Amino acid sequence: MRKRVPLFFAILAALALALSILFAPVLVAAQDPSTSYQPKFHGDPARSDSEAGALAYMRVVIRAQRQFNKQYNHFATSLAELVHSGSFTKRMVNPNRGDYTVSFEGKKDSFIITMMPKQLDATHRSFYAEDDGKIRADEEKPAGPNSPIVK
């Protein structure tokens, strides 16, 4: 009986050590957001879930503006005007989008939308788009018309 108890604890300790070695990479990846992001679709340019949300929001606004322009022959001058245009909802008028803040400038013949993160870094870039529909990004400063296009 005495030999079985230490053997049981030795096996238990070996099992715990083996499990910690096996799952150590998983735990490290879960703590580092830059390595844990899983692309949402083939060719996804986002670097984090926050960026994916910001880019998705911008695509919805751009599509809604195109539909609004097609229907009324001019662009919406505010986000509130876009409600029920495409898949743009009333809740999307709120400029607080998680880690990002929306800025929108609309005119009858053009519009500009920007997404500025609360913390600018490699996984929280700023985004810019206008009526041409091209989304641009910058990880060092607010994105603008000369920033690189997001692929």
Side-chain angles (χ1 to χ4, degrees):
M1 181 79 167
R2 285 186 174 195
K3 289 183 181 180
R4 287 187 179 180
V5 173
L7 181 61
F8 172 75
F9 286 116
I11 292 172
L12 191 60
L15 183 60
L17 179 63
L19 287 174
S20 67
I21 290 170
L22 283 173
F23 288 106
V26 173
L27 294 173
V28 170
Q31 293 171 352
D32 184 6
S34 64
T35 60
S36 64
Y37 176 70
Q38 296 295 314
K40 307 298 181 217
F41 55 88
H42 178 71
D44 183 3
R47 297 179 183 172
S48 66
D49 287 328
S50 293
E51 279 198 6
L55 288 166
Y57 180 87
M58 291 189 80
R59 288 185 198 104
V60 169
V61 170
I62 292 166
R63 278 194 297 271
Q65 277 286 43
R66 285 185 178 150
Q67 183 174 345
F68 189 95
N69 188 29
K70 189 174 183 179
Q71 185 174 359
Y72 299 107
N73 207 28
H74 65 85
F75 290 113
T77 57
S78 69
L79 290 175
E81 261 189 292
L82 284 177
V83 174
H84 303 304
S85 185
S87 57
F88 195 86
T89 65
K90 189 175 181 179
R91 288 177 34 184
M92 295 177 78
V93 174
N94 183 348
N96 289 322
R97 312 299 314 163
D99 290 345
Y100 282 82
T101 302
V102 177
S103 176
F104 179 84
E105 295 176 35
K107 298 179 184 175
K108 299 235 181 223
D109 61 345
S110 66
F111 69 91
I112 295 172
I113 181 169
T114 60
M115 300 285 291
M116 190 66 187
K118 293 179 173 111
Q119 178 181 335
L120 192 61
D121 58 37
T123 59
H124 293 86
R125 297 174 290 174
S126 61
F127 298 105
Y128 170 96
E130 50 189 56
D131 49 278
D132 65 0
K134 295 176 184 170
I135 299 175
R136 300 172 180 277
D138 200 308
E139 65 182 55
E140 297 175 0
K141 62 185 184 306
N146 298 322
S147 297
I149 296 173
V150 174
K151 302 283 183 201

